[in-house]
Amino acid sequence: MTAPAPAPLPPLCYEGILQTALAEDMGRSGDISGALLPAGKQATLHVVTREAGCIAGLEMSLRAFTLYDPAVQVKALVADGDVVAAGTVLATVSGAARSLLAAERTCLNLLGHLCGIATQTHALAHLIADLPAKLVDTRKTLPGLRTLQKYAVRAGGGHNHRFALDDAVMLKDNHVALLGDIPAAVAHARAAVGPMVKIEVEVDTLEQLDEVLKTDADVVMLDNMPPEMLKAAVGRVGGRMLTEASGGITAATIRAVAESGVDVISVGALTHSVKQLDIGLDYRQ
Amino acid sequence: MTAPAPAPLPPLCYEGILQTALAEDMGRSGDISGALLPAGKQATLHVVTREAGCIAGLEMSLRAFTLYDPAVQVKALVADGDVVAAGTVLATVSGAARSLLAAERTCLNLLGHLCGIATQTHALAHLIADLPAKLVDTRKTLPGLRTLQKYAVRAGGGHNHRFALDDAVMLKDNHVALLGDIPAAVAHARAAVGPMVKIEVEVDTLEQLDEVLKTDADVVMLDNMPPEMLKAAVGRVGGRMLTEASGGITAATIRAVAESGVDVISVGALTHSVKQLDIGLDYRQ
Amino acid sequence: MTAPAPAPLPPLCYEGILQTALAEDMGRSGDISGALLPAGKQATLHVVTREAGCIAGLEMSLRAFTLYDPAVQVKALVADGDVVAAGTVLATVSGAARSLLAAERTCLNLLGHLCGIATQTHALAHLIADLPAKLVDTRKTLPGLRTLQKYAVRAGGGHNHRFALDDAVMLKDNHVALLGDIPAAVAHARAAVGPMVKIEVEVDTLEQLDEVLKTDADVVMLDNMPPEMLKAAVGRVGGRMLTEASGGITAATIRAVAESGVDVISVGALTHSVKQLDIGLDYRQ
Amino acid sequence: MTAPAPAPLPPLCYEGILQTALAEDMGRSGDISGALLPAGKQATLHVVTREAGCIAGLEMSLRAFTLYDPAVQVKALVADGDVVAAGTVLATVSGAARSLLAAERTCLNLLGHLCGIATQTHALAHLIADLPAKLVDTRKTLPGLRTLQKYAVRAGGGHNHRFALDDAVMLKDNHVALLGDIPAAVAHARAAVGPMVKIEVEVDTLEQLDEVLKTDADVVMLDNMPPEMLKAAVGRVGGRMLTEASGGITAATIRAVAESGVDVISVGALTHSVKQLDIGLDYRQ
Amino acid sequence: MTAPAPAPLPPLCYEGILQTALAEDMGRSGDISGALLPAGKQATLHVVTREAGCIAGLEMSLRAFTLYDPAVQVKALVADGDVVAAGTVLATVSGAARSLLAAERTCLNLLGHLCGIATQTHALAHLIADLPAKLVDTRKTLPGLRTLQKYAVRAGGGHNHRFALDDAVMLKDNHVALLGDIPAAVAHARAAVGPMVKIEVEVDTLEQLDEVLKTDADVVMLDNMPPEMLKAAVGRVGGRMLTEASGGITAATIRAVAESGVDVISVGALTHSVKQLDIGLDYRQ
Amino acid sequence: MTAPAPAPLPPLCYEGILQTALAEDMGRSGDISGALLPAGKQATLHVVTREAGCIAGLEMSLRAFTLYDPAVQVKALVADGDVVAAGTVLATVSGAARSLLAAERTCLNLLGHLCGIATQTHALAHLIADLPAKLVDTRKTLPGLRTLQKYAVRAGGGHNHRFALDDAVMLKDNHVALLGDIPAAVAHARAAVGPMVKIEVEVDTLEQLDEVLKTDADVVMLDNMPPEMLKAAVGRVGGRMLTEASGGITAATIRAVAESGVDVISVGALTHSVKQLDIGLDYRQ
């Protein structure tokens, strides 16, 4: 099930990382190449995708230009979540040529990365769009970029799993080993957490699943199970809790996984191994 | 020409991003799953690579554990720049089970990413190791991660091109168009910059190259030229300045490019499209 | 239902606010009164509560001393969650007299506030300890202190409701008015959010409650209802979702509210109107 | 003596804490409930006090809305320092409904706290308004909020005592014990500090007071003295230095304390135990 | 009157600026020259002053080495406030040669500046050491360095005037012009500020001085008056308030100024025009 | 050779230090003197230099006013790099009198310092303006101010040497001692660094120079050599690499140094011992 277009992130969720990225690229004295241009020279630039893909983070990436120089005019021509063809002009940017050259790489580095995530997410979500399973991400994100990467997953039609360790209880095998049997561990967790927190338990076998079904856990993660086994597991759960399939799922296998009837499919590669979407700038003076 | 093993980065170059990543993963109340474990429970964990690859950022990634809990003991068993087989134990980490579980993902997210960069860099550098050309990165990095990504390139046997816009002058076509002919543009740049700054000019044709050869530029970038044309260009330069080949170079083409005799080969994908190296933890209680 | 003693917060969740508070109190040149003392003068100080209460934040408040001067020795004598009598020595602190005087107010300001929260929470939770209802806080916290205030609620035997706006969906009357009828609004929300996010709907009347019961919302908030009406509502829900009572609940009314059978009782005053616990220092030279 | 209405704080004294508070409430993906509303939906909101009280921090609290979304229009209808009746509309706020809902809690949490301080301050200051004594606060403030809390004291008609440890010398009993007799301690202090720094000495008895009167201290703090003893002390001082009464002073006792003739009365509870003023929002679409 | 040796600043007052300075000097990949040395090479370095001077900030400047590398051993051989001859070894530093080379410039840049301030202050204070006047600094400091520069003034035997605009009231001619006559302006100020805040008024003429003497101002600044006029002014004040001489005072004039009997002499050049003390490192391997 | 007027720094390179400086001067409650003025009072202020000099940092220093109060209007009347006479009006500033008084010192402290650097730089550069040598700065800068100080050097007609330790390799005597002979050390360095990084070697004697001439170093620093020896060295180099003269060069000696034919002359005093340019404000109400 593909998510609706995501609501935009508030600027305070992304302006900090843009400031950091601009500072990284300015170094100590700024763009010494662009500084050779005449100060008054104006230009207009087209942000163009060289490949087909799904857009994410366009407005926030363009903010690099106006953070650098508030006099620059930016105009987004497509929206996050849009799927576009190669050659599409995504936005225009106008202003001092020096400012456009200075902020160009900061904008494109972020935009190419987020569109890469959205495009990969959209490709997988599209394969199961007619089935109820939700495609979700994981906590396998890059340092400092989690909020933006997870936004890009939403823009690509995916949903988000836990943002952080305090978001939900996830009991893996080592937790269970240390806490005693599964029902005891879940009861222990339920007493500790507040009413808005869900509890998930990871299982590798159907025997473990039966243990989880004795509890009031909210979600069971079915780890590294083949489609037939997933189907059996879903049947055994019978709607009493959400089911999540996880472990090495790719474009080649996701449809079979979804057809097992699971509610959620998690894919770490959405955020840990991202091929950027190739986006460039064409200058019009 | 493969770079020697890089000197370690000082902690002040990476502790900030680790703190940010830990804060991202702790959220507002930390690891609510690990908190269910007994406070005194100790464990030892093995950091194990599931794939063969080249290591980068091991000490700095392990720092996630000791930033989270100074009582954790970490021990690196291999060094950055080492090429290791699948199954290699890279490090051991010992301490409170709660602390190991809490900092695990922060450590692995960074380590997998940096080893992914080093592995990809090493693979390409290896193909041209007997030739004089240096493999270098670009400014196509991810926001906030440039220092660490460029370190990983060095660990993989690559070298670094410009870190930021203030590092060197790079005159691209649009600069030249705005500044007049190439010799005038280079003279203009030389007068403006200090004595430690190099000047590079990008050319697409041999005619442009001839213009650059009239100047005292330090480096000429030969953009998107096929190997034969690169060879001709290198011959024409005759050692008067450094030559750099750039533009869509892959494992399939890098050897032919290097055989043209260029001094430098730049590859943006080293940092903009990174497949993580799959590294996990095995627990020993 | 009183929560178990909370797991300690990791230092990275509170050291920042302590640094801020120390900086506030040091100003530009530090403790100019303590600076008059001989540099080598050592002292030991007892942290003593002047009132009975429930302890929260003891270790983290004592951290003010060691952040100021790593040579100070601190020793906590009770644990967070403990209920203690007036006159109890909570901790001892030893080191340079100058350091103890300098960090004293920073420590006590935080400790008195957090113990005030825990004491108030404990008093209310105690009144309903034999009933299943959980006492929870709200987002009515003080700027910059939410993580610590919510920790203190846990220490006092309460649980936490949402930490932030991204934690759960909460549909209030104005959301419903804008989104159409309640079932449509909940369906809309369910499609948008990930599988770990709960959905709560606020109702003022039993008619609205019936609408919510047509949905798969996770929690219904029963706002400003008297105990009899709460009881009717709980009966009508019949365990299909969690029920939360909210609105002006005090020590005088909480027992009756809990006896209605609701699962959750939220009290904003736990964090928005805090009477500090009076804690002082006795010096032993 | 009630202070005049305070000059406004410059934004750089409060925008940081507002950014922190907004970030606390946005979490990683912002207001996921408000995001369900149509993007273009506009609304107007009335900030209304549910209780009578004294206003503090209205402009600065409203800044939460425009920091979140610069397109929001805010209009304050009363001024800091005003005393208003229950039901008074303090301000109107207009803009995108999503933005209003997102920043609402951040605004109200700060405003309710600061108005709580001003209201409590005003109530005490009013009781002694015809007498020359100034009501002042202490350093018993909440972490990170001292500047704003002390501003609210001024808005309520109080004055500020020391902001930080470097603001003035305060010699308490333990300082005197370590530094020798009082005259020696004061002389020591006078030599050390600059000409703009005042020196205050705390005394518990009239005998200690006589010692202080041998010095050129600027202020003497009369700690925990009953009104009759304060009167005797004030007479003995005879205007040679300022006198400050301190220690457990409440609405029940402040008038008698002020009638003793002291110049300054300090009350820690103004900032350490604050009951918020109940302020809410009424929506007009 | 020379100040006693100053109490040390707490680390939290200077570690931030050291971190900033280290980051400035490390750039993105640290000391690429020192990185060429063998990792295990140890060295000892002597911090030696090439000129005679007064020491300030030695411990805090040496902290640059241990912030960079906690394994470095530092040992201060003199104390802040000491006056030393050219060639004096101020400290020794031992550890990895790479670390010593990397942090050297950060240490010396700060130390040379602060010792420059202390030396200049000491030279002026020495000229009036037998007279009661205190030499003080101003708010004419360098951005971000005020706390450290004012500490160095204290180390050199000077005292500090206002740290910031909120420290004391200073009524200059333009304030008086806008507020009405001087007595009204001072009364206005007295009502507004708390009891720990002093009020100073600037005068250019003896007529203005007479106006100030009608008030209860704490300090009068006698601006740009020649010594004879200062003497007359001091006589007219007769000890009723402190007197401060200000305006272009140098080593050539300070003695005559002090002999006029003023209490305070302020010199902006102490911090706005600093000649560094030449301090270097001698390596011992 | 004097540098052309420098391109302006982007605001993100200086707004942080201005915010820090404003916060330093505001303290906790801002300008308590200016707060006594009527809120609506407007004024215009002239920024006037009391001395002749070279301007640097005018626009960035004026930014202090608009950061403090966006309603203030600033207008620069001269440009960075301009050489002006005593009494020149550099800028006008208009707005609320309170705002002008509050931000005045922050603006002037920065402006006076940067103009002091530019003036000193211009004076030296002027002495050698007809010769090819470039005047450059060093890493002997003040903590936190390097970017701005080096900008001021450029405004004064100087050029910048290394910004940081990662900018270029600089092999000093101790590096060479530890790395073996000079050719080996340079070869080692060349293999380690990327193609955009220059290598400089310091020599004290002509014998060492001969060793450097066997290498492909980019720059040789001729340390503390008298003009005759410099001339001999320059002759021996014969244009094969850049030559830099360094060590105690002053206005008295710079011309002779430049006449030796060196390419670069470095002077640490440009940034480590700065006499501010005396700039003040004249108020027009």
Side-chain angles (χ1 to χ4, degrees), chain C residues 25 28 139 146 165-166, chain D residues 25 28 139 146 165-166:
Chain C
D25 209 28
R28 287 77 48 127
R139 286 169 41 246
R146 186 173 288 176
L165 288 164
D166 68 338
Chain D
D25 208 28
R28 286 77 49 127
R139 286 169 41 246
R146 185 172 289 175
L165 287 163
D166 68 338

Side-chain angles (χ1 to χ4, degrees), chain C residues 13-33:
Chain C
C13 286
Y14 60 80
E15 288 186 355
I17 189 72
L18 280 171
Q19 294 278 20
T20 298
L22 281 167
E24 268 184 337
D25 209 28
M26 291 308 133
R28 287 77 48 127
S29 42
D31 182 8
I32 60 174
S33 308

Side-chain angles (χ1 to χ4, degrees), chain E residues 42-123:
Chain E
Q42 301 292 304
T44 292
L45 143 181
H46 286 197
V47 182
V48 184
T49 180
R50 314 285 187 218
E51 307 178 82
C54 178
I55 301 307
L58 181 57
E59 290 276 10
M60 79 176 72
S61 300
L62 294 171
R63 182 80 179 101
F65 290 103
T66 54
L67 278 176
Y68 182 81
D69 176 356
V72 169
Q73 299 290 323
V74 302
K75 190 174 162 64
L77 303 175
V78 302
D80 284 358
D82 285 358
V83 176
V84 301
T88 303
V89 180
L90 307 179
T92 61
V93 189
S94 300
R98 282 181 179 181
S99 297
L100 302 188
L101 289 167
E104 165 187 339
R105 180 69 11 235
T106 301
C107 171
L108 292 183
N109 282 351
L110 180 58
L111 184 58
H113 183 67
L114 297 182
C115 292
I117 292 172
T119 299
Q120 188 168 5
T121 303
H122 181 265

